[in-house]
Amino acid sequence: SQQGEEDPQALSIQEGENATMNCSYKTSINNLQWYRQNSGRGLVHLILIRSNEREKHSGRLRVTLDTSKKSSSLLITASRAADTASYFCATPPQETSGSRLTFGEGTQLTVNP
Amino acid sequence: DGGITQSPKYLFRKEGQNVTLSCEQNLNHDAMYWYRQDPGQGLRLIYYSQIVNDFQKGDIAEGYSVSREKKESFPLTVTSAQKNPTAFYLCASMRGSTDTQYFGPGTRLTVL
C-alpha cells in the first residue's frame, strides 16, 4: 500500500487563489518531499522537509510537517495557470537513506485563468 | 547539459515481444530507479540499483528485468511475461544519501 496519501485527489481554483494539498503517511520518516509533474512529463523535486522541521518555505511554496499526526501540507500561494500539474508527496524509509522513495497517489491541481 | 535522458519517448510493442527502455544519466549519481505510472495514478517502483552491478526488486518487478553494467546506464526490459505493460515509465537517479530524486522525461509504452 502507498506510504503517502494525498488529499484532495483533485483541486480546481482560480488564478490568484491559494492551493492547499495534504499528505498523510503511515510509518516514521526521516524526511518528506514534494514533487510536481506536468502532464506527460517527469517529476520535478520541489521541496524537502526533515522530520525535525515543522515548516519550510521556498518562493510561493510553504510546506508544513506534523510528525505527531503523520501529515504534511503543501501550500501554493497566489497560484498561476502555470501551476497546473499533479503534486506528489514522497517519503524514504526511516531506517535507511539514499534508497527508495514511496510516492503517494497525487493531487491534480487545475488553476483556471 | 547534465540530466537524465530516456529513449524512446514513445514505444509501441506487439504482444509477445520484449522491449528495452533506455535510461542514461550524466549526473554521476550512484542510485537509479525505474517506476511505472498508470493514468491518474501515482508511481510504483519496479527496480532500483544503488551501485553498479547490483539491483533490487521494487514492488512490481514481475515481468521486468534490468541490468546495471555502467554507472550512467540502467536499461529496463519489459518482457512478454508482463501481462499489462501499457503505461508511462519513468527513470530517476539520486546522489548519495540525499534522498532527492531526479527524473527523466519518461517513455510511454503502448502494446498493440
Side-chain angles (χ1 to χ4, degrees):
Chain A
S1 62
Q2 294 288 337
Q3 160 77 318
E5 295 184 3
E6 287 90 343
D7 168 59
Q9 286 187 319
L11 180 61
S12 182
I13 60 174
Q14 296 299 123
E15 250 186 340
E17 294 180 339
N18 295 343
T20 300
M21 290 159 269
N22 303 296
C23 169
S24 60
Y25 57 92
K26 296 174 183 161
T27 63
S28 296
I29 58 172
N30 284 323
N31 65 69
L32 185 142
Q33 303 172 43
W34 286 91
Y35 288 79
R36 165 196 169 123
Q37 182 183 34
N38 285 66
S39 181
R41 303 287 187 90
L43 277 69
V44 175
H45 180 259
L46 294 176
I47 195 165
L48 180 153
I49 186 165
R50 301 195 185 283
S51 58
N52 60 354
E53 297 175 309
R54 292 295 167 260
E55 187 171 312
K56 199 163 183 178
H57 296 254
S58 176
R60 291 185 297 112
L61 305 180
R62 173 180 168 247
V63 170
T64 62
L65 180 64
D66 187 336
T67 53
S68 66
K69 295 182 180 177
K70 290 187 168 59
S71 69
S72 173
S73 68
L74 170 67
L75 169 67
I76 304 175
T77 60
S79 64
R80 306 166 182 168
D83 294 327
T84 294
S86 292
Y87 293 82
F88 296 89
C89 65
T91 55
Q94 186 184 36
E95 65 274 14
T96 63
S97 60
S99 66
R100 54 183 295 170
L101 291 177
T102 300
F103 287 83
E105 296 289 314
T107 292
Q108 171 62 51
L109 172 66
T110 301
V111 181
N112 301 299
Chain B
D1 263 347
I4 302 178
T5 57
Q6 292 185 240
S7 62
K9 187 169 183 178
Y10 298 97
L11 187 57
F12 298 90
R13 184 193 101 171
K14 292 182 180 179
E15 283 192 25
Q17 284 183 336
N18 292 355
V19 288
T20 297
L21 283 59
S22 169
C23 178
E24 304 277 331
Q25 55 100 357
N26 61 4
L27 300 168
N28 200 33
H29 288 174
D30 290 309
M32 296 186 74
Y33 305 81
W34 273 106
Y35 296 93
R36 170 183 172 137
Q37 186 177 34
D38 292 286
Q41 304 292 312
L43 278 65
R44 291 186 290 169
L45 183 64
I46 305 172
Y47 268 98
Y48 65 107
S49 168
Q50 293 181 269
I51 196 169
V52 174
N53 292 323
D54 188 42
F55 49 82
Q56 289 79 41
K57 292 182 179 179
D59 299 320
I60 54 164
E62 185 174 350
Y64 300 97
S65 66
V66 293
S67 63
R68 187 82 188 278
E69 297 176 1
K70 299 185 295 182
K71 188 175 185 178
E72 57 271 22
S73 179
F74 191 40
L76 173 74
T77 297
V78 184
T79 74
S80 56
Q82 170 51 236
K83 297 307 177 190
N84 186 22
T86 294
F88 189 51
Y89 290 87
L90 287 160
C91 179
S93 70
M94 180 163 68
R95 176 177 59 86
S97 60
T98 61
D99 286 331
T100 299
Q101 294 190 9
Y102 295 80
F103 284 81
T107 292
R108 188 167 300 280
L109 173 64
T110 303
V111 174
L112 302 173

